[in-house]
Amino acid sequence: MPSKEFQNRPGSVWERYSFDGKPFDVIRKEMEELAIAGVKTYPDVTWEEGNAGTICGKWIRPAEPNGKLIYYVHGGGFTTGSSGIPLPFLMEVAHRLGVTCFSADYRLAPEEPFPAAPEDVYAGYLALLDMGYAPGDMILSGEFAGGTLVLDVPLLAKRDGVPVPAGIVAMSPVTDMTQVLNETVLEGLDDPDELFKIYAPGYDKADPIVSPALGDLKDYPVTFLIAGGAETLMQDTLIFATAAAKAGNDVRIHIGKDMIHTYPLDFWDYPEAMTAFEEIVLFIRQILAL
């Protein structure tokens, strides 16, 4: 049974926000404001609006950076969300580990459907390499749609002969659109099948950039996958983990018993989320040799 803290949780930004039939542009703006209002600040970490090449986002900078980087991609079902949503998570990571973080914005559906989002996320990765960040010093991370998009990056990098990052942390990603259930992932958003129709109209669900579990996973970076045991996307985590392991890769999994979608982002609110968050921090330490 989940902890009392979980049962009495205040709710994440996504849980507390009232979608109430609002248009996407309003949802994006209001959720960004709500997320930023809840950011815990530290004297040794600052954040600011900025860019990586042509990709806008937010830079989270420790006072004494160690040269390592977390490139983070927000979720929101490919239609909502913003670079401000993960700020509380990234501020804490930067404070604990001294890593610089870049939280990216990217083009969203329905205004800019597939392949706009993966193109932007990949462009951000290339820009970070051009800025001097070594791939071996970089971890890509994201939740929900952002988790899918960071899983895409090594596939695109390998296609182009570009070095892949040191590791991936993906929370509740969609990894195989051919297998997703018609169940709500997050209250207020369409189920994955309906989101696919908005995100990638006219495209094949088996396209590896839509469904990264179906891509060529040979020589893929070490990957840490996290999902809630009570969410429908747990199956996508297992699908990708199985495919990556069969390809000979180092893949690690954390399934939170009775937990919900992207629950590690709620790390201050209940012990199960803090446990998952601590595992993410440990993974980053190990992969980046901190």
Side-chain angles (χ1 to χ4, degrees), residues 220-233:
Y220 201 83
V222 56
T223 303
F224 185 26
L225 301 162
I226 307 107
E231 67 166 321
T232 184
L233 288 181

Side-chain angles (χ1 to χ4, degrees), residues 198-266:
I198 299 171
Y199 169 55
Y203 282 86
D204 185 354
K205 289 183 178 182
D207 185 317
I209 307 305
V210 172
S211 299
L214 305 182
D216 177 8
L217 300 181
K218 184 180 178 182
D219 300 323
Y220 201 83
V222 56
T223 303
F224 185 26
L225 301 162
I226 307 107
E231 67 166 321
T232 184
L233 288 181
M234 180 184 71
Q235 71 165 0
D236 275 60
T237 290
L238 300 177
I239 288 169
F240 189 91
T242 300
K246 285 183 177 179
N249 300 294
D250 182 349
V251 57
R252 310 171 193 188
I253 311 172
H254 179 93
I255 303 295
K257 187 176 184 296
D258 299 323
M259 290 294 103
I260 58 175
H261 186 60
T262 67
Y263 75 99
L265 297 182
D266 303 336

Side-chain angles (χ1 to χ4, degrees), residues 20-280:
D20 195 28
K22 298 172 184 174
F24 285 126
D25 59 340
V26 173
I27 292 171
R28 296 163 190 160
K29 180 177 182 294
E30 291 182 348
M31 289 196 71
E32 166 104 348
E33 293 171 349
L34 184 61
I36 290 176
V39 172
K40 181 177 181 179
T41 59
Y42 294 98
D44 62 338
V45 180
T46 59
W47 72 269
E48 62 185 357
E49 303 278 352
N51 298 73
T54 60
I55 304 304
C56 299
K58 293 174 178 59
W59 284 95
I60 298 89
R61 304 184 190 276
E64 298 182 5
N66 53 27
K68 312 292 186 177
L69 180 80
I70 306 298
Y71 177 31
Y72 196 94
V73 182
H74 70 81
F78 306 102
T79 59
T80 62
S82 71
S83 60
I85 300 294
L87 270 178
F89 176 87
L90 296 174
M91 291 284 285
E92 185 67 19
V93 169
H95 170 65
R96 292 191 184 204
L97 299 179
V99 296
T100 301
C101 305
F102 179 67
S103 178
D105 285 305
Y106 54 92
R107 288 173 289 170
L108 296 168
E111 299 95 327
E112 298 284 353
F114 182 88
E119 285 178 350
D120 283 358
V121 172
Y122 183 45
Y125 177 67
L126 296 177
L128 292 166
L129 295 179
D130 287 343
M131 292 170 68
Y133 288 101
D137 291 333
M138 195 185 311
I139 284 179
L140 276 54
S141 183
E143 95 281 357
F144 192 17
T148 304
L149 294 169
V150 297
L151 291 173
D152 287 337
V153 169
L155 299 177
L156 296 168
K158 290 196 302 168
R159 177 198 68 187
D160 296 343
V162 173
V164 300
I168 305 281
V169 177
M171 293 175 269
S172 304
V174 180
T175 71
D176 184 355
M177 275 287 190
T178 70
Q179 300 294 323
V180 294
L181 301 175
N182 295 329
E183 296 180 11
T184 299
V185 172
L186 191 64
E187 195 65 36
L189 290 181
D190 292 322
D191 64 58
D193 192 57
E194 290 301 313
L195 285 173
F196 173 80
K197 295 174 184 176
I198 299 171
Y199 169 55
Y203 282 86
D204 185 354
K205 289 183 178 182
D207 185 317
I209 307 305
V210 172
S211 299
L214 305 182
D216 177 8
L217 300 181
K218 184 180 178 182
D219 300 323
Y220 201 83
V222 56
T223 303
F224 185 26
L225 301 162
I226 307 107
E231 67 166 321
T232 184
L233 288 181
M234 180 184 71
Q235 71 165 0
D236 275 60
T237 290
L238 300 177
I239 288 169
F240 189 91
T242 300
K246 285 183 177 179
N249 300 294
D250 182 349
V251 57
R252 310 171 193 188
I253 311 172
H254 179 93
I255 303 295
K257 187 176 184 296
D258 299 323
M259 290 294 103
I260 58 175
H261 186 60
T262 67
Y263 75 99
L265 297 182
D266 303 336
F267 58 95
W268 285 125
D269 295 338
Y270 45 93
E272 296 93 336
M274 181 58 80
T275 295
F277 176 80
E278 296 282 4
E279 289 198 17
I280 292 170

